Amino acid sequence: MSLFAAPLRLLACAILCLSLAACGGGGDGGCSTCALLALTPSAPASSPPPTEVPAAPTPSYVIGGTLSGLAENTKLVVLDNGGDPLTLAANGEFRFATPVVFNTPYAVTVGTHPLWQNCSVSNGSGTATADVSNVQVNCIEAQAQVSTLAGSTAAGSADGTGAAASFNGPQALKVDVSGNVFVLDTFNHMIRKVTPDGVVTIFAGSTQAGAADGTGTFAQFDAPDGVVLDDSGNLYVADLNHKIRKITPQGVVTTFAGSGTAGSADGTGITAQFNNPGGVAVDASGNLYVADISNHEIRKISPEGVVTTLAGSTTPGSVDGTGTAARFNQPVGVAVDASGNVYVTDWGNNRIRKITPTGVVTTFAGSGTQGASDGVGTSAQFRSPSGIAIDAIGNIYVSDAANHAIRKITPAGLVTTLAGSGTLGSADGIGTAAQFNTPYDVQLDASGNLYATSGNAIRKITPVR
C-alpha cells in the first residue's frame, strides 16, 4: 500500500460514518467495517501479458547465372531442384523466380534442350547461404546419330518391319504429325507408309505403272518423285505422268493439276501442263509450289487448282532476277519458310536459290562449282543438291545427293556437313562416320528429327543427347 493511500481511505470512511449518523442509520458496524476496509491494502493492478517477440525470418536466396552458346531463335528450359521451370530465349544472365531457403540445397539442370543443340550446366549445385550468380549454362551443336528406320540395300516391294521391308529406289518422303513417314517408292510406283516403329505397308498405288485415279492399290502412279502433306492430312504427289495427284487420308487418289502431256502452260486443274514435276511444298495459305524440273521453273498452284509460273523459264541458266527473268537449271526440291520465301535446290547449278513471295530470285548458298566445301553463302559447295527442308527456326537441311551427305545451312547462310562421310555406303553412325547412298530427299518430323531416302532404305537422323 502507498504511504498516501491509507489516510485517504480513512478520511473517506470518516465522512461516510458522519453521513450515516446524521441520517440515523448505520451504527457502529458500518463505521467499523469502513475502517477495516480503509486499512486493507488494495490489490495491485493486473499487468498486461508479456509481448511475444517474433522469430527472425529465415533468409532465402536467388539462384541465377549466365547462359552462352544458345542458337538464335531457339529456347532452352532449365530447372532448379527439378522444378521452377525457366524458359530462356537469349544468351546472358538469368535468375529463377523462386528463392531457395537458407542452408538448403539447389541443383540447376537442363529440362528441355533446344532444337539440335546440347546444353550443359557447371557450378549448378550447392547449399544456399547467399545469392548465387555463378551457375554456367553452355550450349553447343548436337551431333547427328544416323540409323536405318526401314529397308535395306536390297531392292524389293515387301511389306514388313524395319530391314524385313524393301523399297525400290525411294526418292521422296514426308512425315505427318504422328510420326508416320509417307515414302514415294519411286520405281515400285507406290506410296508406302512407315510407322514410327518401322512397320511398312502400302498406302496407295501398285507395282504397275499408270495414271488411273482410285482408292488405295486401285490407283496408279508412274515413278512418283515429290510429295507434301497439307494441314488436313492430304498428300500431294508429283508424278512422272506430268501431273500433281492428291491423296486423301482415306487413300482416295485424284488428279489435282496437270493434263498428263508434257508442257509449260499455266491454267486451272487439268488444263495446266508440267514437264517432269519434282519437289512439292505448301505454304500457310495452302498454296502449293512445284519444282518443274524439265521446264526449269517454279510453279505455284492455288488451293483452287490455278497454276501459275512463280519464277524461271523453259530456258535453263543461272541468273538471279524477278519472275521469268530468273533462270534455273533442273530445280529439284522446294521448301517454304514461315515468311513465305521459297528455297530451291538448283540441281544443275549446284546452288540453293531463294525466291521471295514477290518472285525475286537470289542465290542463297553454293558457288555453282561442284564440291563439298563448307562455308558461308556462295563460298560453300554442293554436288547435285536435291531434297530440302526448313525447321521451325529457319535452319535449312539439304540432301546433297552426289556428295552422299546431309548438309545444314543456318539462317545466316553458314553451310556445314551434318552427317555423311562423302563416300557412298549404308553404315549407320554419328556425323561423318555414317554413310548414305545418293540421298535424294530429306524431311523433318514435328520434333526436329530428320528422315532421308538413301539407296533402298529410309534413314533417321536424330540429335545425340
Side-chain angles (χ1 to χ4, degrees), residues 13 27 33 99 152 157 166 191-192 241 278 284 318 365 374 379 402 451 465:
C13 192
T33 302
S152 66
S157 60
S166 56
I191 315 301
R192 312 286 289 281
N241 285 314
S318 183
D374 291 338
S379 68
Y451 298 79
R465 298 299 187 194

Side-chain angles (χ1 to χ4, degrees), residues 43 51 100 172 405 458:
T51 303
V100 174
I458 308 302

Side-chain angles (χ1 to χ4, degrees), residues 3 40 55 72 77 81 100 122 134 191 195 203 214 235 296 308 313 321 350 354 360 368 403 418 420 425 431 445:
L3 297 175
T40 303
E72 188 176 355
V77 177
N81 290 329
V100 174
S122 57
N134 66 338
I191 315 301
T195 70
F203 185 65
L235 292 168
H296 315 290
T308 54
S313 74
N350 302 296
K354 177 181 177 179
V360 178
N403 275 328
L418 182 67
D445 68 14

Side-chain angles (χ1 to χ4, degrees), residues 140-232:
I140 60 173
E141 186 168 0
Q143 291 184 294
Q145 174 68 61
V146 180
S147 59
T148 300
L149 177 65
S152 66
T153 56
S157 60
D159 288 341
T161 300
S166 56
F167 302 88
N168 189 3
Q171 293 196 351
L173 47 76
K174 199 68 181 179
V175 190
D176 70 13
V177 294
S178 299
N180 298 300
V181 183
F182 292 89
V183 178
L184 300 196
D185 194 359
T186 302
F187 300 114
N188 277 329
H189 315 294
M190 295 190 297
I191 315 301
R192 312 286 289 281
K193 179 180 178 180
V194 187
T195 70
D197 297 323
V199 179
V200 180
T201 55
I202 298 172
F203 185 65
S206 68
T207 53
Q208 180 65 46
D213 291 338
T215 300
T217 57
F218 291 97
Q220 292 179 320
F221 299 88
D222 186 0
D225 194 34
V227 62
V228 75
L229 189 69
D230 71 12
D231 289 341
S232 299

Side-chain angles (χ1 to χ4, degrees), residues 75-89:
K75 293 181 180 180
L76 163 72
V77 177
V78 288
L79 307 173
D80 185 20
N81 290 329
D84 196 16
L86 177 61
T87 300
L88 304 175

